[in-house]
Amino acid sequence: MEYNENIAACIAEISEIAGYLWQKGWAERNGGNISCNITDFADDVLAECSPLYGPVSLPRPLENLSGNYFLVTGTGRRMRYVASAPMDNMAIIKILDGGRSYVIVAEKAVVPTSELPSHLSVHSYLAGRGDGYRAVIHTHPIELVAMTHHKAFLEKDVLSRLLWSMIPETRAFCPKGVGIVPYQLPGSLALADATIALLDEYDVVLWEKHGAFAVGKNVVEAFDMIDTLSKSAQIYMSGRAMGFVPEGMTDAQMQELKQAFNL
Ligand code: 13P
Ligand code: ZN
């Protein structure tokens, strides 16, 4: 199918990032999923597509998404194949019926991720915010997930401070830090709600003992934040592996960064 420049760019971005998720070892089997709100880019070509599959009821209505279009990776699909054959492993869906259902409109009948409740609930929240955030990534970054297995790291902002202090970039490029969502069943509305509850404050949250979930203006931006936090986690664990607890930048050094970068 011939996509316009903007939609083609979103597809290219998703496939690029899916490749990185695989290369980083964050995407075992079908681990992780990506979605992007492409409503602003929808054109007549998309409007004229007849449904390939559906309508499928959504677990709860998302009125403000009615008529919206999303690129979304398929359930059970491997990120490494999203990278090599994007439109064989993701679909464009359209939300219908006042936000009560969706249909697949392109390009193949690839059923969306099992985390669709979280993705769409978060897109509904982001659309309400109206600040141009259109991308959502969920992935399984090894070191960050490992850190959520330690109770002390689950307290509010303990991990944010620790990860910020490992390298100046994390303080500068993840200025909101990282929120913690206590364990919930994958794919559940409870997980979606617990995630949204933290997005006023954070762009990246960790799902306890499961993965990371990030929002951004585009998929690259959302990926970069998880990648930067992951770098800090790796530095911390490298120090521990060498037999010491990394000292971390001091509060004064982090304050200096905050001022220097207007964070
Ligand atoms: P899907 O294959 O349904 O996208 O699920 C992967 C995953 O990571 C669930 O949390
Ligand atoms: Zn997952």
Side-chain angles (χ1 to χ4, degrees):
M1 199 171 137
E2 276 293 304
Y3 297 105
N4 67 40
E5 204 184 332
N6 287 320
I7 295 177
C10 286
I11 295 170
E13 243 180 35
I14 292 175
S15 72
E16 177 192 347
I17 297 305
Y20 299 154
L21 300 181
W22 164 248
Q23 287 159 20
K24 285 187 159 290
W26 299 352
E28 76 294 338
R29 199 174 182 275
N30 60 307
N33 23 76
I34 305 176
S35 65
C36 193
N37 189 336
I38 55 167
T39 311
D40 288 345
F41 310 140
D43 55 13
D44 290 347
V45 178
L46 218 47
E48 281 156 19
C49 286
S50 35
L52 299 169
Y53 180 86
V56 178
S57 295
L58 292 172
R60 69 173 162 216
L62 298 165
E63 290 88 355
N64 67 337
L65 294 186
S66 193
N68 280 21
Y69 290 90
F70 295 90
L71 269 165
V72 55
T73 56
T75 187
R77 303 298 174 133
R78 289 154 173 82
M79 286 293 134
R80 59 187 188 270
Y81 300 150
V82 174
S84 58
M87 292 315 288
D88 288 342
N89 292 285
M90 64 177 158
I92 297 177
I93 62 169
K94 181 179 187 185
I95 311 297
L96 297 178
D97 190 23
R100 285 180 191 78
S101 63
Y102 73 83
V103 285
I104 298 176
V105 295
E107 194 170 313
K108 296 183 176 166
V110 174
V111 176
T113 172
S114 59
E115 298 292 0
L116 198 65
S118 283
H119 282 255
L120 287 185
S121 302
V122 165
H123 280 298
S124 166
Y125 159 85
L126 294 174
R129 233 164 59 172
D131 53 6
Y133 272 51
R134 32 173 140 259
V136 171
I137 297 184
H138 162 58
T139 186
H140 300 165
I142 302 161
E143 294 84 358
L144 288 170
V145 174
M147 290 177 115
T148 69
H149 285 261
H150 183 48
K151 280 260 178 307
F153 289 156
L154 303 181
E155 297 294 321
K156 185 171 165 50
D157 289 335
V158 169
L159 261 190
S160 293
R161 273 194 293 276
L162 178 77
L163 297 171
W164 279 339
S165 78
M166 288 296 108
I167 184 170
E169 272 67 14
T170 305
R171 183 70 191 92
F173 298 123
C174 301
K176 296 182 182 174
V178 61
I180 304 287
V181 176
Y183 183 84
Q184 295 286 355
L185 185 70
S188 63
L189 284 175
L191 181 57
D193 288 340
T195 302
I196 292 168
L198 293 177
L199 291 182
D200 279 340
E201 207 175 335
Y202 305 100
D203 285 341
V204 184
V205 299
L206 296 180
W207 289 348
E208 182 188 345
K209 301 177 185 124
H210 180 167
F213 189 97
V215 296
K217 291 203 159 63
N218 55 58
V219 179
V220 171
E221 191 181 280
F223 167 78
D224 280 343
M225 284 185 289
I226 302 176
D227 191 30
T228 307
L229 290 161
S230 169
K231 169 63 74 72
S232 275
Q234 289 173 49
I235 293 167
Y236 176 78
M237 291 174 78
S238 299
R240 298 296 307 238
M242 286 186 277
F244 61 86
V245 178
E247 189 173 80
M249 288 182 290
T250 62
D251 286 347
Q253 288 165 340
M254 287 200 280
Q255 191 56 32
E256 180 189 42
L257 270 169
K258 192 168 188 283
Q259 275 155 1
F261 288 86
N262 265 331
L263 301 171

